[in-house]
Amino acid sequence: MTANDRANLPPLSLHVPEPRFRPGDTVDFAEVDVPPAGAQPRPDTAADPASFHDLSYTLIRVLDDAGQAVGPWNPRLSPDTLRTMLRDMALVRAFDERMFRAQRQGKTSFYMKCKGEEAVAVAAAHALAADDMCFPSYRQQGLLTVRGYSLVQMMNQIYSNSGDDLAGKQLPIMYSSKEKGFFSISGNLTTQYPQAVGWAMASAAKGDSRIAATWCGEGATAEGDFHSALTFATVYKAPVILNVVNNQWAISSFSGFAGAEATTFAARAVGYGIAGLRVDGNDALAVYAATAWAAERARTNRGPTLIELFTYRAEGHSTSDDPSQYRSAGEPTAWPLGDPVDRLKQHLIALGEWDEERHAAMDRDLAEQVKAAQKEAEKNGILGHGLHQPLDTMFDGVFETMPWHLQEQQAQMMAEEEASGRPWARKS
């Protein structure tokens, strides 16, 4: 076709995604399709992914509007388990609130809350085996609390104080615990995806029975690491669960910039030929059921599962973010899938296994527990109290055996520090 042939064609144009609501706008989520709870079929864990493509486009839900658990995905958990899950989610929320205030008081430099997303990590942690390996993003602190990791140790890391097991080398909230199967959080987006797939492949190569699970935000699915990981997971049928936490916002850009206007994030699974589920991320029972289903599939050599957890980031991306600058203040309260803590509470009340008085007492007890942990952690230091780790520890943990040139640099630093009278070099 020549230039003359194209003369009558309209000029090319680009589509630039725009969020539906901006600051000051009235919010209406009417176009968000929320299917009835219990309406989605639950395929056998051995089923061919091609036989349930619809589950990548709908929304798996268990809790209905009356707080009842319905449908084939109902995991039929005991009241005691439900109460434990509720308490675990409430603990994470109490922890977040106190650490958020600590940052505002200047006790730490940075914090990230997961308000509105507690079910994503807590319910999944209950569905996984305790020794399955988790490769989290930075809003899955519930994985650690469910597995019994010390609140004091989490706070030590946030404060980068003298009790910090990571010796102040990680940004606050980027925890790591080998004992709890919690891989080191990275600030670089989606690096945990290929790491999780590689770990799962190694587990399978060794004939182990442990699987891996990983989480990223919906914006991070635009990263190359996401697609590299899915390619390896697909080809080698790696025993891994690939979670995409679609909380509608990646920092200040909405999910449309990652492709949400075109299709669902669970639909990525269809293109790769693996199992895909789209789940109500504010329904703890649906998250539990989907994770348990995917875990069984992985453990029986049926390959990976991609789960889109459809939720909403109720507050800012972090303490460095002001969401009022880019989204309507009415969005969090108008979100049609509600609050995960309240929905599980209402379910237990509907069962006759809970009430408002016990819930209030639980919240008070958890607030005191977190407050006590904070007092203990702050004995080890906070931001503004000076350097909490000797300077020469910057060389530690980089190589299994420190090479000669770093040994020389470390010795030089210690000599200079000692000569200057500054107290920040270790004494050998």
Side-chain angles (χ1 to χ4, degrees):
M1 181 178 286
T2 67
N4 287 336
D5 295 329
R6 299 193 300 270
N8 294 325
L9 293 176
L12 297 174
S13 64
L14 288 175
H15 169 67
V16 179
E18 274 289 324
R20 293 190 62 219
F21 316 113
R22 286 296 192 182
D25 290 346
T26 300
V27 177
D28 180 6
F29 280 117
E31 76 169 21
V32 175
D33 184 22
V34 181
Q40 299 72 33
R42 184 185 183 278
D44 188 90
T45 53
D48 187 324
S51 68
F52 52 88
H53 281 169
D54 287 352
L55 293 180
S56 293
Y57 300 95
T58 182
L59 204 59
I60 294 171
R61 303 179 67 224
V62 172
L63 293 174
D64 65 15
D65 294 340
Q68 298 292 340
V70 297
W73 285 94
N74 180 6
R76 294 177 173 78
L77 301 176
S78 70
D80 284 344
T81 299
L82 294 172
R83 278 189 288 266
T84 300
M85 286 174 59
L86 179 64
R87 185 178 181 87
D88 288 338
M89 287 197 290
L91 174 60
V92 172
R93 185 163 294 185
F95 183 89
D96 275 0
E97 289 296 332
R98 184 154 286 274
M99 289 296 95
F100 180 88
R101 290 198 300 273
Q103 191 278 335
R104 290 299 191 243
Q105 292 165 353
K107 295 178 177 180
T108 185
S109 60
F110 183 79
Y111 192 72
M112 299 181 77
K113 299 171 74 173
C114 67
K115 186 176 180 180
E117 303 176 38
E118 291 88 353
V120 165
V122 169
H126 279 273
L128 293 167
D131 58 350
D132 287 335
M133 192 66 185
C134 295
F135 293 78
S137 181
Y138 35 62
R139 231 179 289 275
Q140 282 81 56
Q141 48 266 57
L143 296 170
L144 283 173
T145 58
V146 169
R147 290 185 170 185
Y149 193 68
S150 164
L151 298 183
V152 174
Q153 282 303 103
M154 291 175 72
M155 292 175 180
N156 285 338
Q157 196 282 325
I158 292 165
Y159 292 140
S160 297
N161 62 25
S162 61
D164 178 14
D165 285 342
L166 303 183
K169 290 186 173 70
Q170 280 276 54
L171 186 74
I173 65 87
M174 294 190 177
Y175 316 104
S176 176
S177 175
K178 182 177 181 180
E179 295 74 19
K180 300 300 181 183
F182 189 96
F183 195 81
S184 302
I185 296 176
S186 170
N188 298 319
L189 293 182
T190 334
T191 55
Q192 68 273 20
Y193 254 60
Q195 291 162 350
V197 172
W199 191 97
M201 290 171 60
S203 183
K206 293 193 303 182
D208 204 339
S209 61
R210 294 175 296 164
I211 64 171
T214 186
W215 290 258
C216 75
E218 85 285 343
T221 63
E223 296 285 334
D225 279 349
F226 174 84
H227 297 280
S228 296
L230 261 70
T231 297
F232 275 83
T234 299
V235 170
Y236 294 101
K237 290 189 175 181
V240 61
I241 303 172
L242 305 152
N243 295 285
V244 176
V245 184
N246 179 7
N247 65 11
Q248 315 306 311
W249 289 94
I251 308 182
S252 58
S253 62
F254 86 118
S255 58
F257 281 103
E261 291 182 341
T263 188
T264 68
F265 291 97
R268 306 286 195 276
V270 176
Y272 281 97
I274 63 175
L277 305 176
R278 190 164 181 261
V279 178
D280 179 349
N282 288 14
D283 179 343
L285 296 189
V287 176
Y288 179 98
T291 305
W293 183 92
E296 180 180 338
R297 188 175 179 87
R299 254 183 266 281
T300 54
N301 295 312
R302 298 294 176 175
T305 300
L306 176 65
I307 302 177
E308 176 186 350
L309 298 153
F310 196 62
T311 180
Y312 186 83
R313 196 191 76 209
E315 298 194 14
H317 178 75
S318 72
T319 50
S320 303
D321 177 42
D322 180 6
S324 69
Q325 298 299 306
Y326 55 81
R327 73 183 188 190
S328 170
E331 284 194 28
T333 53
W335 182 244
L337 297 179
D339 176 86
V341 176
D342 184 66
R343 287 178 66 186
L344 186 54
K345 177 185 78 172
Q346 296 303 330
H347 174 54
L348 275 162
I349 291 174
L351 293 176
E353 295 287 347
W354 199 240
D355 54 56
E356 295 288 356
E357 291 75 17
R358 278 189 281 179
H359 193 86
M362 177 188 72
D363 280 342
R364 289 192 297 270
D365 178 60
L366 292 175
E368 288 300 315
Q369 179 182 339
V370 173
K371 181 179 178 180
Q374 183 184 27
K375 288 183 176 179
E376 188 66 26
E378 289 182 359
K379 293 177 183 177
N380 298 318
I382 59 173
L383 184 70
H385 285 185
L387 187 64
H388 298 293
Q389 302 290 337
L391 282 177
D392 68 298
T393 61
M394 72 171 68
F395 297 95
D396 295 343
V398 181
F399 295 93
E400 183 176 4
T401 302
M402 190 184 301
W404 65 268
H405 65 287
L406 289 187
Q407 292 179 24
E408 285 188 357
Q409 291 175 32
Q410 185 183 46
Q412 181 181 359
M413 170 181 280
M414 293 178 71
E416 289 177 355
E417 288 293 309
E418 188 169 337
S420 69
R422 293 191 295 264
W424 300 119
R426 274 182 303 196
K427 306 301 180 184
S428 55

